[in-house]
Amino acid sequence: MNLSTHRTDIDPRPGQAPTAAAPAIEVVGLERRYGDFHAVRGISFDVHPGEVFALLGVNGAGKTSALEVLEGLAAASAGSVRVLGHDPRRDRAAVRRYLGVLLQHSGLPGDLTVRETVHTWARTLTDPRPVAEALEQVDLAGRADIRVRSLSGGERRRLDLAMALLGRPRVVVLDEPTTGLDPESRRAVWGIVRNLVDGGAAVVLTTHHLEEAEELADRIAILQAGLVVLSGTPEEISATQPATIRFTVPEGAPPLPSLAGVRVERTAHQVELSTFALQPTLTQLMTWAGEHDLELTGLQARAASLEQAFLAVADGALPTAA
Amino acid sequence: MTTTRSAIEHTSPPHLGSGGRARRRVLALAAAETRLLLRNRTAVMSSLLLPLAVVAAVGAITVSNGGTVDGPGLLASAFGVTLTFLTFYNLVTTFVARREELVLQRMRTGELTDAEVLLGTAVPTLLVSLVQVVLVAVGVVALGYWSAPVDVVLPLVALLGGGALMVVLAAVSTSFTRTVEGAQFTTMPLVLTATMLSGLLIPLADFPEQLARVARFLPLTPVIELSRLGLVGETWDGQAVDTAGAWAASPLPLAVLAGWLVTGAVLARLVFRWAPRR
């Protein structure tokens, strides 16, 4: 099921029409092989200016392998990748200036201070932001004279982010930007990402945190074993999974009404209904309960979450999308 | 598509040429690397002391064997010793350390080109090497062992070409060096052939002629040969020459040096790894 055609229906950010501009990133049929291992098996997606695109998937699904091609650090085994209209590897010089990259793992010499590190990086860039401003943005201004060796894991991650964004990038690739951050810093990073897209940047990120994708992403692709098995807006992806209704039926209640297209699971008095039509099913259920004057204790009705969709993919419960 | 393409082309700042921007990027990285080196006192001391000690030992052995100290010859030896024990060894360990710390991979995510990353990282080592050679030269002059060289261009070519060669050969060597400690072993092939078969410690003239002819094609030999041609006025097989004679004897070592530079650069491009093996 390919949901990406519904993209124009999603709410665009106020004052922007992301789908109108040319895509900042175009990935078509991307594959990566390491010897016999097929890490990425033909994935395609576009990311437009002013848009956040999230790649989700369990470890080893191929997220980082795919991003390495966007970053220009690795060659595609097949397919094509364009960043701002250029091949990020062959036309590296044309692309790099506009590309901000946060690698999943990267290092810094421990014996330079935070300020020296950012200052050095700024001198390698064409149009860097002021160092003080960049440190302020990631809340490291107070740590500017500390050696990188002494930073905590979260501080180091924020320094990584400051460096990735130092050159005023128009295309930003963030590989697990918030891994290792405390909840407060994570929210701060979300704010930074929102500012980036409000300023017109195109952002691709990977994450393990589903609520992060739900919070930030305009569109999501779920990757499994190197293939995109689901893509669309968070709402569209959630809608691929049935909503659930749970309740307990009282002793001696009459049998449930017949509910078309609803899967019923029952253990003793506990009932769980799975339905793609939550409101009609709920109406039928309430009518039935009213007619028989029943009280359904512990009644819950819930639309599917992104997490459910993600877990369904991880369990292999979904047919793969073409 | 066309809109993004033209946007890229029109927003490049016109005030700096691409050469100026490249120089600024290399200098930025080189300055940071130099600062790192200066913060590591042990590294500074050992990189300066070890080669000086080797050169002093060469002089002392000559004297104890009843010979007289040959100043220009000692300087030629200093070129070779510095390039192998300091330049080459330091570069292998620095490149490997930066690779294993994931610093190289990060540098590649910015605007620095691959060559700029390697050059910027190598600059402090190359500077220390130069200081080293100058120290030996000053020492030789101060001790009164100096005599005017036959030619200065050939030794300068040897020193600069040798430095560049050490950068590319170190880059190649990192491909089979997994850890900084491992560099002690993986640098041995070059260090051993350089010290034994390049004419650095044992003159090629003392070798069986067949072996000496083969040894002339090893990577460090042309550096020593060109240095001795210019500084001492002596060919690989021990003939004394004047300036014209030195130049007449130079095409082969120049070609061998150029050949190794090209081979090394091509190999480095092929085998250099920017990230640790996973």
Side-chain angles (χ1 to χ4, degrees), chain A residues 22-23 26 68 73 82 84-86 92 94 96-99 101 103 105-109 111-113 116 120-121 123-127 147 160 163 170, chain B residues 1 3-5 7-9 11-13 21 24-25 27-29 31-33 35-36 39 98 101-103 105-114 278:
Chain A
E26 300 166 274
E68 280 173 354
L73 295 180
R82 299 261 147 196
L84 298 173
H86 292 264
R92 179 166 149 164
R96 274 308 155 87
R97 223 210 109 167
Y98 302 99
L99 186 61
V101 174
L103 296 174
H105 302 290
S106 62
L108 287 168
D111 281 327
L112 291 180
T113 67
E116 286 164 353
T120 298
W121 192 241
R123 286 177 63 203
T124 68
L125 301 174
T126 306
D127 181 24
R147 290 205 182 174
D160 288 340
M163 291 172 73
R170 300 204 322 226
Chain B
M1 180 72 59
T3 52
T4 46
R5 201 182 288 278
I8 278 187
E9 280 152 10
T11 48
S12 297
R21 284 199 293 266
R24 194 191 51 182
R25 290 193 293 262
L27 284 178
L29 187 53
E33 283 288 340
R35 204 186 285 254
L36 281 168
R39 283 186 185 162
R98 295 289 176 266
E101 291 167 337
L102 303 172
V103 170
Q105 188 72 304
R106 173 198 297 275
M107 292 299 161
R108 292 187 88 210
T109 65
E111 293 184 39
L112 292 151
T113 65
D114 289 354
R278 279 177 284 185

Side-chain angles (χ1 to χ4, degrees), chain A residues 229-242:
Chain A
V229 288
L230 260 184
S231 68
T233 66
E235 297 75 22
E236 286 167 344
I237 288 185
S238 304
T240 62
Q241 296 300 302

